[in-house]
PDB file of all heavy atoms in Angstrom:
ATOM      1  N   SER A1665       2.204-119.993  11.207  1.00 93.00           N
ATOM      2  CA  SER A1665       2.129-121.438  11.452  1.00 93.00           C
ATOM      3  C   SER A1665       2.909-122.143  10.351  1.00 93.00           C
ATOM      4  O   SER A1665       2.550-122.041   9.176  1.00 93.00           O
ATOM      5  CB  SER A1665       0.678-121.919  11.467  1.00 93.00           C
ATOM      6  OG  SER A1665       0.622-123.331  11.564  1.00 93.00           O
ATOM      7  N   LYS A1666       3.982-122.820  10.748  1.00 90.00           N
ATOM      8  CA  LYS A1666       4.816-123.497   9.750  1.00 90.00           C
ATOM      9  C   LYS A1666       4.019-124.546   8.972  1.00 90.00           C
ATOM     10  O   LYS A1666       4.067-124.617   7.755  1.00 90.00           O
ATOM     11  CB  LYS A1666       6.017-124.145  10.433  1.00 90.00           C
ATOM     12  CG  LYS A1666       7.046-124.726   9.456  1.00 90.00           C
ATOM     13  CD  LYS A1666       8.128-125.512  10.190  1.00 90.00           C
ATOM     14  CE  LYS A1666       8.929-124.656  11.125  1.00 90.00           C
ATOM     15  NZ  LYS A1666      10.018-125.403  11.779  1.00 90.00           N
ATOM     16  N   SER A1667       3.264-125.341   9.703  1.00 87.00           N
ATOM     17  CA  SER A1667       2.513-126.429   9.074  1.00 87.00           C
ATOM     18  C   SER A1667       1.173-125.970   8.513  1.00 87.00           C
ATOM     19  O   SER A1667       0.594-126.620   7.642  1.00 87.00           O
ATOM     20  CB  SER A1667       2.261-127.542  10.092  1.00 87.00           C
ATOM     21  OG  SER A1667       1.394-127.081  11.126  1.00 87.00           O
ATOM     22  N   GLY A1668       0.682-124.857   9.047  1.00 86.00           N
ATOM     23  CA  GLY A1668      -0.657-124.417   8.673  1.00 86.00           C
ATOM     24  C   GLY A1668      -1.743-125.208   9.368  1.00 86.00           C
ATOM     25  O   GLY A1668      -2.918-125.110   9.009  1.00 86.00           O
ATOM     26  N   THR A1669      -1.365-125.987  10.391  1.00 84.00           N
ATOM     27  CA  THR A1669      -2.341-126.844  11.077  1.00 84.00           C
ATOM     28  C   THR A1669      -2.329-126.678  12.598  1.00 84.00           C
ATOM     29  O   THR A1669      -3.001-127.425  13.298  1.00 84.00           O
ATOM     30  CB  THR A1669      -2.079-128.322  10.745  1.00 84.00           C
ATOM     31  OG1 THR A1669      -0.768-128.686  11.201  1.00 84.00           O
ATOM     32  CG2 THR A1669      -2.184-128.590   9.249  1.00 84.00           C
ATOM     33  N   THR A1670      -1.569-125.711  13.130  1.00 85.00           N
ATOM     34  CA  THR A1670      -1.461-125.540  14.579  1.00 85.00           C
ATOM     35  C   THR A1670      -2.827-125.188  15.181  1.00 85.00           C
ATOM     36  O   THR A1670      -3.424-124.163  14.825  1.00 85.00           O
ATOM     37  CB  THR A1670      -0.447-124.433  14.917  1.00 85.00           C
ATOM     38  OG1 THR A1670       0.777-124.691  14.229  1.00 85.00           O
ATOM     39  CG2 THR A1670      -0.178-124.388  16.413  1.00 85.00           C
ATOM     40  N   LEU A1671      -3.311-126.036  16.088  1.00 85.00           N
ATOM     41  CA  LEU A1671      -4.678-125.913  16.596  1.00 85.00           C
ATOM     42  C   LEU A1671      -4.956-124.544  17.210  1.00 85.00           C
ATOM     43  O   LEU A1671      -5.943-123.880  16.871  1.00 85.00           O
ATOM     44  CB  LEU A1671      -4.941-127.015  17.625  1.00 85.00           C
ATOM     45  CG  LEU A1671      -6.322-126.989  18.310  1.00 85.00           C
ATOM     46  CD1 LEU A1671      -7.422-127.238  17.289  1.00 85.00           C
ATOM     47  CD2 LEU A1671      -6.379-128.035  19.431  1.00 85.00           C
ATOM     48  N   GLU A1672      -4.103-124.103  18.144  1.00 89.00           N
ATOM     49  CA  GLU A1672      -4.350-122.838  18.825  1.00 89.00           C
ATOM     50  C   GLU A1672      -4.355-121.673  17.830  1.00 89.00           C
ATOM     51  O   GLU A1672      -5.196-120.774  17.903  1.00 89.00           O
ATOM     52  CB  GLU A1672      -3.285-122.581  19.900  1.00 89.00           C
ATOM     53  CG  GLU A1672      -3.292-123.567  21.047  1.00 89.00           C
ATOM     54  CD  GLU A1672      -2.263-124.681  20.861  1.00 89.00           C
ATOM     55  OE1 GLU A1672      -1.951-125.009  19.693  1.00 89.00           O
ATOM     56  OE2 GLU A1672      -1.801-125.209  21.876  1.00 89.00           O
ATOM     57  N   THR A1673      -3.395-121.695  16.903  1.00 92.00           N
ATOM     58  CA  THR A1673      -3.274-120.592  15.953  1.00 92.00           C
ATOM     59  C   THR A1673      -4.457-120.533  15.003  1.00 92.00           C
ATOM     60  O   THR A1673      -5.009-119.454  14.736  1.00 92.00           O
ATOM     61  CB  THR A1673      -1.952-120.733  15.169  1.00 92.00           C
ATOM     62  OG1 THR A1673      -0.863-120.740  16.103  1.00 92.00           O
ATOM     63  CG2 THR A1673      -1.761-119.586  14.201  1.00 92.00           C
ATOM     64  N   LEU A1674      -4.884-121.681  14.487  1.00 91.00           N
ATOM     65  CA  LEU A1674      -6.028-121.695  13.576  1.00 91.00           C
ATOM     66  C   LEU A1674      -7.319-121.329  14.309  1.00 91.00           C
ATOM     67  O   LEU A1674      -8.216-120.698  13.729  1.00 91.00           O
ATOM     68  CB  LEU A1674      -6.157-123.065  12.912  1.00 91.00           C
ATOM     69  CG  LEU A1674      -5.003-123.464  11.985  1.00 91.00           C
ATOM     70  CD1 LEU A1674      -5.291-124.794  11.309  1.00 91.00           C
ATOM     71  CD2 LEU A1674      -4.755-122.384  10.925  1.00 91.00           C
ATOM     72  N   THR A1675      -7.418-121.708  15.572  1.00 94.00           N
ATOM     73  CA  THR A1675      -8.588-121.312  16.364  1.00 94.00           C
ATOM     74  C   THR A1675      -8.639-119.800  16.523  1.00 94.00           C
ATOM     75  O   THR A1675      -9.693-119.173  16.354  1.00 94.00           O
ATOM     76  CB  THR A1675      -8.549-121.988  17.747  1.00 94.00           C
ATOM     77  OG1 THR A1675      -8.549-123.402  17.573  1.00 94.00           O
ATOM     78  CG2 THR A1675      -9.750-121.581  18.586  1.00 94.00           C
ATOM     79  N   ASN A1676      -7.499-119.200  16.827  1.00 95.00           N
ATOM     80  CA  ASN A1676      -7.453-117.747  16.965  1.00 95.00           C
ATOM     81  C   ASN A1676      -7.649-117.039  15.628  1.00 95.00           C
ATOM     82  O   ASN A1676      -8.213-115.946  15.573  1.00 95.00           O
ATOM     83  CB  ASN A1676      -6.139-117.318  17.622  1.00 95.00           C
ATOM     84  CG  ASN A1676      -6.170-117.476  19.129  1.00 95.00           C
ATOM     85  OD1 ASN A1676      -7.212-117.288  19.751  1.00 95.00           O
ATOM     86  ND2 ASN A1676      -5.047-117.831  19.727  1.00 95.00           N
ATOM     87  N   GLU A1677      -7.189-117.661  14.540  1.00 95.00           N
ATOM     88  CA  GLU A1677      -7.459-117.091  13.216  1.00 95.00           C
ATOM     89  C   GLU A1677      -8.965-117.027  12.970  1.00 95.00           C
ATOM     90  O   GLU A1677      -9.490-116.014  12.476  1.00 95.00           O
ATOM     91  CB  GLU A1677      -6.794-117.925  12.126  1.00 95.00           C
ATOM     92  CG  GLU A1677      -7.055-117.361  10.730  1.00 95.00           C
ATOM     93  CD  GLU A1677      -6.711-118.331   9.603  1.00 95.00           C
ATOM     94  OE1 GLU A1677      -6.734-119.545   9.840  1.00 95.00           O
ATOM     95  OE2 GLU A1677      -6.423-117.859   8.489  1.00 95.00           O
ATOM     96  N   ALA A1678      -9.662-118.112  13.299  1.00 95.00           N
ATOM     97  CA  ALA A1678     -11.117-118.132  13.126  1.00 95.00           C
ATOM     98  C   ALA A1678     -11.779-117.049  13.981  1.00 95.00           C
ATOM     99  O   ALA A1678     -12.746-116.400  13.560  1.00 95.00           O
ATOM    100  CB  ALA A1678     -11.665-119.517  13.484  1.00 95.00           C
ATOM    101  N   PHE A1679     -11.246-116.850  15.181  1.00 94.00           N
ATOM    102  CA  PHE A1679     -11.750-115.807  16.085  1.00 94.00           C
ATOM    103  C   PHE A1679     -11.604-114.439  15.428  1.00 94.00           C
ATOM    104  O   PHE A1679     -12.532-113.614  15.445  1.00 94.00           O
ATOM    105  CB  PHE A1679     -10.953-115.860  17.385  1.00 94.00           C
ATOM    106  CG  PHE A1679     -11.704-115.439  18.603  1.00 94.00           C
ATOM    107  CD1 PHE A1679     -12.236-116.363  19.478  1.00 94.00           C
ATOM    108  CD2 PHE A1679     -11.904-114.087  18.896  1.00 94.00           C
ATOM    109  CE1 PHE A1679     -12.929-115.980  20.618  1.00 94.00           C
ATOM    110  CE2 PHE A1679     -12.586-113.687  20.021  1.00 94.00           C
ATOM    111  CZ  PHE A1679     -13.110-114.633  20.891  1.00 94.00           C
ATOM    112  N   VAL A1680     -10.435-114.187  14.839  1.00 96.00           N
ATOM    113  CA  VAL A1680     -10.165-112.900  14.194  1.00 96.00           C
ATOM    114  C   VAL A1680     -11.029-112.732  12.941  1.00 96.00           C
ATOM    115  O   VAL A1680     -11.595-111.657  12.692  1.00 96.00           O
ATOM    116  CB  VAL A1680      -8.664-112.784  13.850  1.00 96.00           C
ATOM    117  CG1 VAL A1680      -8.408-111.609  12.909  1.00 96.00           C
ATOM    118  CG2 VAL A1680      -7.836-112.639  15.126  1.00 96.00           C
ATOM    119  N   LYS A1681     -11.127-113.784  12.139  1.00 96.00           N
ATOM    120  CA  LYS A1681     -11.942-113.703  10.924  1.00 96.00           C
ATOM    121  C   LYS A1681     -13.403-113.411  11.261  1.00 96.00           C
ATOM    122  O   LYS A1681     -14.081-112.663  10.538  1.00 96.00           O
ATOM    123  CB  LYS A1681     -11.823-115.003  10.129  1.00 96.00           C
ATOM    124  CG  LYS A1681     -10.517-115.127   9.352  1.00 96.00           C
ATOM    125  CD  LYS A1681     -10.492-116.404   8.517  1.00 96.00           C
ATOM    126  CE  LYS A1681      -9.260-116.441   7.616  1.00 96.00           C
ATOM    127  NZ  LYS A1681      -9.200-117.687   6.807  1.00 96.00           N
ATOM    128  N   ASP A1682     -13.862-113.996  12.350  1.00 96.00           N
ATOM    129  CA  ASP A1682     -15.229-113.741  12.787  1.00 96.00           C
ATOM    130  C   ASP A1682     -15.403-112.266  13.143  1.00 96.00           C
ATOM    131  O   ASP A1682     -16.416-111.646  12.783  1.00 96.00           O
ATOM    132  CB  ASP A1682     -15.561-114.622  13.993  1.00 96.00           C
ATOM    133  CG  ASP A1682     -16.979-114.411  14.503  1.00 96.00           C
ATOM    134  OD1 ASP A1682     -17.922-114.721  13.758  1.00 96.00           O
ATOM    135  OD2 ASP A1682     -17.133-113.941  15.642  1.00 96.00           O
ATOM    136  N   ALA A1683     -14.413-111.690  13.827  1.00 96.00           N
ATOM    137  CA  ALA A1683     -14.482-110.271  14.185  1.00 96.00           C
ATOM    138  C   ALA A1683     -14.458-109.385  12.940  1.00 96.00           C
ATOM    139  O   ALA A1683     -15.181-108.378  12.866  1.00 96.00           O
ATOM    140  CB  ALA A1683     -13.322-109.911  15.112  1.00 96.00           C
ATOM    141  N   LEU A1684     -13.629-109.756  11.964  1.00 96.00           N
ATOM    142  CA  LEU A1684     -13.565-108.982  10.720  1.00 96.00           C
ATOM    143  C   LEU A1684     -14.887-109.060   9.965  1.00 96.00           C
ATOM    144  O   LEU A1684     -15.395-108.050   9.462  1.00 96.00           O
ATOM    145  CB  LEU A1684     -12.418-109.499   9.849  1.00 96.00           C
ATOM    146  CG  LEU A1684     -10.996-109.188  10.338  1.00 96.00           C
ATOM    147  CD1 LEU A1684      -9.970-110.015   9.581  1.00 96.00           C
ATOM    148  CD2 LEU A1684     -10.692-107.700  10.180  1.00 96.00           C
ATOM    149  N   THR A1685     -15.459-110.249   9.887  1.00 96.00           N
ATOM    150  CA  THR A1685     -16.735-110.435   9.188  1.00 96.00           C
ATOM    151  C   THR A1685     -17.841-109.618   9.847  1.00 96.00           C
ATOM    152  O   THR A1685     -18.650-108.963   9.178  1.00 96.00           O
ATOM    153  CB  THR A1685     -17.121-111.922   9.166  1.00 96.00           C
ATOM    154  OG1 THR A1685     -16.096-112.659   8.490  1.00 96.00           O
ATOM    155  CG2 THR A1685     -18.445-112.132   8.444  1.00 96.00           C
ATOM    156  N   LYS A1686     -17.882-109.658  11.191  1.00 96.00           N
ATOM    157  CA  LYS A1686     -18.906-108.896  11.912  1.00 96.00           C
ATOM    158  C   LYS A1686     -18.740-107.391  11.711  1.00 96.00           C
ATOM    159  O   LYS A1686     -19.710-106.628  11.831  1.00 96.00           O
ATOM    160  CB  LYS A1686     -18.837-109.234  13.400  1.00 96.00           C
ATOM    161  CG  LYS A1686     -19.396-110.619  13.724  1.00 96.00           C
ATOM    162  CD  LYS A1686     -19.233-110.957  15.198  1.00 96.00           C
ATOM    163  CE  LYS A1686     -19.836-112.331  15.498  1.00 96.00           C
ATOM    164  NZ  LYS A1686     -19.584-112.742  16.917  1.00 96.00           N
ATOM    165  N   ALA A1687     -17.504-106.973  11.401  1.00 96.00           N
ATOM    166  CA  ALA A1687     -17.247-105.552  11.128  1.00 96.00           C
ATOM    167  C   ALA A1687     -17.486-105.210   9.662  1.00 96.00           C
ATOM    168  O   ALA A1687     -17.226-104.080   9.230  1.00 96.00           O
ATOM    169  CB  ALA A1687     -15.821-105.193  11.529  1.00 96.00           C
ATOM    170  N   GLY A1688     -17.970-106.208   8.889  1.00 96.00           N
ATOM    171  CA  GLY A1688     -18.240-105.992   7.470  1.00 96.00           C
ATOM    172  C   GLY A1688     -17.003-105.934   6.618  1.00 96.00           C
ATOM    173  O   GLY A1688     -16.989-105.306   5.547  1.00 96.00           O
ATOM    174  N   LEU A1689     -15.936-106.609   7.052  1.00 96.00           N
ATOM    175  CA  LEU A1689     -14.656-106.554   6.354  1.00 96.00           C
ATOM    176  C   LEU A1689     -14.315-107.894   5.727  1.00 96.00           C
ATOM    177  O   LEU A1689     -14.687-108.950   6.235  1.00 96.00           O
ATOM    178  CB  LEU A1689     -13.551-106.147   7.335  1.00 96.00           C
ATOM    179  CG  LEU A1689     -13.735-104.782   8.016  1.00 96.00           C
ATOM    180  CD1 LEU A1689     -12.776-104.642   9.194  1.00 96.00           C
ATOM    181  CD2 LEU A1689     -13.508-103.648   7.014  1.00 96.00           C
ATOM    182  N   ASP A1690     -13.567-107.834   4.637  1.00 96.00           N
ATOM    183  CA  ASP A1690     -13.104-109.032   3.937  1.00 96.00           C
ATOM    184  C   ASP A1690     -11.774-109.452   4.558  1.00 96.00           C
ATOM    185  O   ASP A1690     -10.763-108.749   4.421  1.00 96.00           O
ATOM    186  CB  ASP A1690     -12.934-108.718   2.448  1.00 96.00           C
ATOM    187  CG  ASP A1690     -12.443-109.909   1.635  1.00 96.00           C
ATOM    188  OD1 ASP A1690     -12.126-110.963   2.225  1.00 96.00           O
ATOM    189  OD2 ASP A1690     -12.353-109.780   0.396  1.00 96.00           O
ATOM    190  N   SER A1691     -11.756-110.599   5.229  1.00 95.00           N
ATOM    191  CA  SER A1691     -10.541-111.016   5.947  1.00 95.00           C
ATOM    192  C   SER A1691      -9.349-111.208   5.012  1.00 95.00           C
ATOM    193  O   SER A1691      -8.201-111.028   5.424  1.00 95.00           O
ATOM    194  CB  SER A1691     -10.807-112.302   6.735  1.00 95.00           C
ATOM    195  OG  SER A1691     -11.096-113.376   5.868  1.00 95.00           O
ATOM    196  N   SER A1692      -9.600-111.555   3.769  1.00 95.00           N
ATOM    197  CA  SER A1692      -8.482-111.781   2.836  1.00 95.00           C
ATOM    198  C   SER A1692      -7.731-110.495   2.525  1.00 95.00           C
ATOM    199  O   SER A1692      -6.610-110.536   2.013  1.00 95.00           O
ATOM    200  CB  SER A1692      -8.987-112.401   1.534  1.00 95.00           C
ATOM    201  OG  SER A1692      -9.774-111.474   0.798  1.00 95.00           O
ATOM    202  N   LYS A1693      -8.345-109.332   2.836  1.00 96.00           N
ATOM    203  CA  LYS A1693      -7.674-108.042   2.608  1.00 96.00           C
ATOM    204  C   LYS A1693      -6.955-107.559   3.869  1.00 96.00           C
ATOM    205  O   LYS A1693      -6.393-106.466   3.885  1.00 96.00           O
ATOM    206  CB  LYS A1693      -8.711-106.990   2.192  1.00 96.00           C
ATOM    207  CG  LYS A1693      -9.533-107.362   0.962  1.00 96.00           C
ATOM    208  CD  LYS A1693      -8.704-107.296  -0.302  1.00 96.00           C
ATOM    209  CE  LYS A1693      -9.515-107.743  -1.521  1.00 96.00           C
ATOM    210  NZ  LYS A1693     -10.721-106.950  -1.755  1.00 96.00           N
ATOM    211  N   HIS A1694      -6.996-108.399   4.913  1.00 97.00           N
ATOM    212  CA  HIS A1694      -6.429-107.982   6.199  1.00 97.00           C
ATOM    213  C   HIS A1694      -5.428-108.984   6.769  1.00 97.00           C
ATOM    214  O   HIS A1694      -4.887-108.743   7.843  1.00 97.00           O
ATOM    215  CB  HIS A1694      -7.557-107.783   7.228  1.00 97.00           C
ATOM    216  CG  HIS A1694      -8.363-106.556   7.011  1.00 97.00           C
ATOM    217  ND1 HIS A1694      -8.146-105.379   7.674  1.00 97.00           N
ATOM    218  CD2 HIS A1694      -9.393-106.317   6.165  1.00 97.00           C
ATOM    219  CE1 HIS A1694      -9.002-104.460   7.261  1.00 97.00           C
ATOM    220  NE2 HIS A1694      -9.784-105.010   6.346  1.00 97.00           N
ATOM    221  N   MET A1695      -5.186-110.080   6.077  1.00 97.00           N
ATOM    222  CA  MET A1695      -4.349-111.130   6.658  1.00 97.00           C
ATOM    223  C   MET A1695      -3.219-111.525   5.728  1.00 97.00           C
ATOM    224  O   MET A1695      -3.405-111.649   4.509  1.00 97.00           O
ATOM    225  CB  MET A1695      -5.189-112.373   6.991  1.00 97.00           C
ATOM    226  CG  MET A1695      -6.321-112.099   7.951  1.00 97.00           C
ATOM    227  SD  MET A1695      -7.053-113.605   8.638  1.00 97.00           S
ATOM    228  CE  MET A1695      -5.906-113.933   9.965  1.00 97.00           C
ATOM    229  N   ILE A1696      -2.036-111.715   6.328  1.00 97.00           N
ATOM    230  CA  ILE A1696      -0.917-112.330   5.629  1.00 97.00           C
ATOM    231  C   ILE A1696      -0.499-113.575   6.406  1.00 97.00           C
ATOM    232  O   ILE A1696      -0.850-113.728   7.575  1.00 97.00           O
ATOM    233  CB  ILE A1696       0.281-111.359   5.456  1.00 97.00           C
ATOM    234  CG1 ILE A1696       0.876-110.985   6.818  1.00 97.00           C
ATOM    235  CG2 ILE A1696      -0.127-110.129   4.672  1.00 97.00           C
ATOM    236  CD1 ILE A1696       2.135-110.124   6.723  1.00 97.00           C
ATOM    237  N   ALA A1697       0.226-114.461   5.759  1.00 97.00           N
ATOM    238  CA  ALA A1697       0.651-115.703   6.398  1.00 97.00           C
ATOM    239  C   ALA A1697       2.171-115.800   6.396  1.00 97.00           C
ATOM    240  O   ALA A1697       2.828-115.372   5.443  1.00 97.00           O
ATOM    241  CB  ALA A1697       0.051-116.909   5.678  1.00 97.00           C
TER     242      ALA A1697
END
Side-chain angles (χ1 to χ4, degrees):
S1665 174
K1666 187 187 297 183
S1667 66
T1669 61
T1670 308
L1671 177 64
E1672 295 97 332
T1673 302
L1674 295 184
T1675 300
N1676 279 326
E1677 180 194 26
F1679 210 101
V1680 167
K1681 283 183 173 179
D1682 180 65
L1684 289 167
T1685 300
K1686 286 176 178 175
L1689 300 166
D1690 180 354
S1691 64
S1692 69
K1693 304 288 177 59
H1694 286 263
M1695 302 194 83
I1696 65 175

